C-alpha cells in the first residue's frame, strides 16, 4: 500500500464538524476501494484541506473521495518516504 496526501482547495470557513463529516463519508466507502483514510487537517482561513490515506493507487483515493460525497481532491501526491 502506498501512502497519499491529497489536497482540497476552496473550502474557506470549513468547521471541525464539516471536516469530520467529510472524513466519515469517505471512510464509509474506503473498504470497497481498498483505501484507508488515516487523518484529515484543515485551514479554514485559506480553505485548504489535507487528507492522509493509504491505498493501492491515487485513482482509488480519488474514487473513494468522490463516492463518499466529498468531491475529488485538487491534488493527490504519493508520499512513499516518511521519518
Amino acid at each position: 500500500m502506498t501512502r497519499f496526501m491529497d489536497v482540497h482547495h476552496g473550502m474557506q470557513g470549513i468547521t471541525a464538524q464539516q471536516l469530520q463529516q467529510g472524513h466519515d463519508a469517505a471512510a464509509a466507502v474506503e473498504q470497497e476501494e481498498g483505501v484507508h483514510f488515516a487523518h484529515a487537517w484543515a485551514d479554514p482561513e485559506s480553505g485548504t484541506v489535507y487528507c492522509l490515506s493509504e491505498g493501492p493507487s491515487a485513482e482509488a483515493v480519488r474514487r473513494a473521495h468522490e463516492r463518499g460525497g466529498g468531491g475529488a481532491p485538487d491534488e493527490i501526491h504519493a508520499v512513499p518516504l516518511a521519518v
Side-chain angles (χ1 to χ4, degrees):
M1 293 290 241
T2 302
R3 187 172 289 159
F4 294 93
M5 179 68 71
D6 64 69
V7 184
H8 303 255
H9 298 288
M11 304 193 73
Q12 284 82 2
I14 189 169
T15 65
Q17 182 180 9
Q18 290 169 321
L19 182 64
Q20 184 67 55
Q21 289 171 339
H23 180 78
D24 292 346
V29 299
E30 69 181 13
Q31 190 171 24
E32 296 169 23
E33 294 292 347
V35 173
H36 171 66
F37 289 100
H39 298 283
W41 300 268
D43 177 358
E45 188 173 318
S46 72
T48 308
V49 172
Y50 305 91
C51 301
L52 180 67
S53 62
E54 291 184 335
S57 67
E59 187 53 38
V61 172
R62 181 177 306 282
R63 280 194 311 268
H65 270 295
E66 289 174 339
R67 291 183 61 214
D74 296 296
E75 306 170 36
I76 301 177
H77 304 276
V79 286
L81 297 176
V83 293

